[in-house]
Amino acid sequence: MEDRNFKKSFGIRLRYLRNLAELSQEKLAERVGLSTKTISYIENGKNSISFNKIPLLAKGLGVPVYKLFVFAESENHREMLDKLLDSAQDKEINSIAEIVKIVLAMK
């Protein structure tokens, strides 16, 4: 995997796990000892994380280290949603947004 693609995949996975853990970037940054800006850059594939921070990141998210590198799960869902949303009309997107809000409120 190319470095650029790896950083992007890692960032998508990090955001996915952070959202799953219901953590803000600020809260995760505080737990790991990084700045919020750094977390944002990692999630957007602009920065990589140093090797020694990986276990701290996993601990902050409450997952084993290997879960940070299971890219297929989060990528496939995102790609599927992107394709569905690309083909949807505005009215359908508004309906989908309302459904997502309801589902997220159920947590």
Side-chain angles (χ1 to χ4, degrees), residues 16-28:
Y16 174 80
L17 292 171
R18 180 179 58 76
N19 288 329
L20 201 60
E22 299 181 354
L23 294 171
S24 65
Q25 288 181 339
E26 293 81 10
K27 186 65 176 174
L28 180 59

Side-chain angles (χ1 to χ4, degrees), residues 24-27 29-30 34-42:
S24 65
Q25 288 181 339
E26 293 81 10
K27 186 65 176 174
E30 180 183 304
L34 296 171
S35 71
T36 303
K37 188 175 183 178
T38 299
I39 296 292
S40 175
Y41 281 0
I42 294 168

Side-chain angles (χ1 to χ4, degrees), residues 33-100:
L34 296 171
S35 71
T36 303
K37 188 175 183 178
T38 299
I39 296 292
S40 175
Y41 281 0
I42 294 168
E43 287 185 356
N44 289 302
K46 295 179 181 178
N47 274 12
S48 54
I49 187 166
S50 63
F51 186 74
N52 63 338
K53 292 287 186 182
I54 291 173
L56 297 173
L57 192 56
K59 184 177 179 182
L61 292 165
V63 299
V65 169
Y66 81 89
K67 289 274 191 173
L68 292 169
F69 301 97
V70 181
F71 300 148
E73 182 181 330
S74 58
E75 285 184 37
N76 289 339
H77 289 137
R78 285 192 177 277
E79 286 177 2
M80 179 187 68
L81 286 172
D82 284 343
K83 287 177 185 173
L84 290 171
L85 290 173
D86 283 344
S87 65
Q89 296 183 10
D90 288 341
K91 187 175 181 181
E92 294 167 325
I93 290 173
N94 290 337
S95 297
I96 292 167
E98 291 304 315
I99 292 167
V100 170

